[in-house]
């Protein structure tokens, strides 16, 4: 898949991490039904590889499906076998190198300029600014864009719908959202509430009409 194109188009990645594998799968499918196209299943959730396998079977081969918290070469190989077609890491680590070797696009976790340079050298497709809120929020993103004006940043960590708007306004390519969007859905919570939150986030990241028209001109 063309990860960078997808990030620029959809502008949000949902991060699913749950203690209940069946609920996590339902969460993935609910997000997809509501039109949220980029979904990441974190390996830190219960039976995450099985969730990825079942989600891939349910969504079909064409739907983007990511695996997160990929740290090692073994993680990268396992998520590829399970059906993930992009990888998200929390840091610049072995998972980046192996995922690229396997032909998977990577959203690599970074915080500092040194991290960004290291991730660039490994061929990362985009940069997960994590944890974004603790790093300094939208102001820190704007500061990083000085030395890295063309780098595709995806802030993750503490991103609610208002923060999503602020990051995108400061030049983020997309945002990654976990608990402010997922809530308790991946642990068995309300699917209806998840649907409402999903619609609110999709509205928050939607391009203004003028920009949509400009991008299609």
């Amino acid at each position: 898949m063309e990860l960078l194109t997808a990030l620029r188009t959809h502008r949000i990645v949902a991060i699913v991490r749950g203690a209940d594998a069946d609920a996590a799968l339902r969460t993935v499918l609910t997000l997809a039904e509501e039109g949220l196209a980029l979904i990441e299943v974190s390996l830190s959730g219960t039976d995450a590889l099985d969730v990825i396998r079942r989600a891939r079977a349910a969504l079909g081969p064409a739907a983007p499906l990511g695996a997160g918290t990929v740290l090692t070469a073994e993680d990268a190989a396992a998520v590829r076998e399970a059906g993930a077609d992009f990888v998200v890491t929390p840091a610049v680590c072995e998972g980046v190198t192996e995922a690229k070797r396997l032909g998977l696009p990577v959203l690599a976790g970074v915080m500092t300029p040194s991290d960004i340079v290291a991730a660039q050298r490994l061929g990362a497709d985009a940069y997960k600014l994590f944890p974004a809120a603790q790093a300094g929020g939208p102001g820190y993103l704007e500061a990083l864009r000085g030395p890295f004006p063309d780098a595709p940043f995806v802030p993750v960590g503490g991103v609610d719908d208002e923060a999503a708007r602020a990051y995108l306004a400061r030049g983020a390519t997309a945002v990654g959202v976990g608990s402010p969007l997922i809530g308790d859905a991946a642990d068995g919570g309300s699917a209806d509430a998840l649907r409402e939150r999903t619609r609110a986030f999709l509205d928050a990241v939607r391009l203004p009409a003028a920009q949509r028209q400009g991008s299609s001109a």
Side-chain angles (χ1 to χ4, degrees), residues 96-206:
V96 177
T97 307
E98 183 64 9
K100 293 301 295 184
R101 191 188 72 80
L102 293 170
L104 295 172
V106 178
L107 175 56
V110 301
M111 178 181 273
T112 68
S114 295
D115 292 340
I116 297 163
V117 171
Q120 287 175 333
R121 288 174 176 164
L122 294 180
D125 298 82
Y127 310 104
K128 169 185 169 179
L129 184 59
F130 174 79
Q134 290 77 5
Y140 183 60
L141 168 66
E142 189 171 41
L144 285 177
R145 285 177 53 77
F148 303 102
D150 300 319
F153 288 112
V154 181
V156 177
V159 180
D160 59 16
D161 54 352
E162 288 304 313
R165 291 185 177 93
Y167 282 118
L168 292 167
R170 299 286 186 98
T173 298
V175 293
V177 186
S179 57
L181 167 60
I182 305 304
D184 63 354
D187 298 320
S190 169
D192 289 339
L194 174 63
R195 291 182 188 278
E196 291 181 9
R197 291 190 298 270
T198 303
R199 292 165 191 162
F201 269 97
L202 289 173
D203 183 65
V205 304
R206 189 170 291 118

Side-chain angles (χ1 to χ4, degrees), residues 8-93:
R8 287 171 173 159
T9 300
H10 300 294
R11 311 218 310 164
I12 184 170
V13 181
I15 303 165
V16 177
R17 177 188 295 107
D20 181 325
D22 291 336
L25 176 63
R26 289 194 298 272
T27 298
V28 171
L29 300 183
T30 298
L31 292 166
E33 288 168 5
E34 290 298 322
L36 202 155
L38 292 176
I39 303 168
E40 161 199 341
V41 177
S42 171
L43 291 185
S44 60
T46 299
D47 294 330
L49 290 173
D50 186 54
V51 174
I52 292 170
R53 290 189 189 96
R54 294 161 67 194
R56 172 55 70 208
L59 294 172
L65 182 61
T69 324
V70 174
L71 289 166
T72 67
E74 291 76 14
D75 289 341
V79 301
R80 181 177 183 267
E81 186 278 332
D85 53 13
F86 69 94
V87 159
V88 184
T89 74
V92 181
C93 56

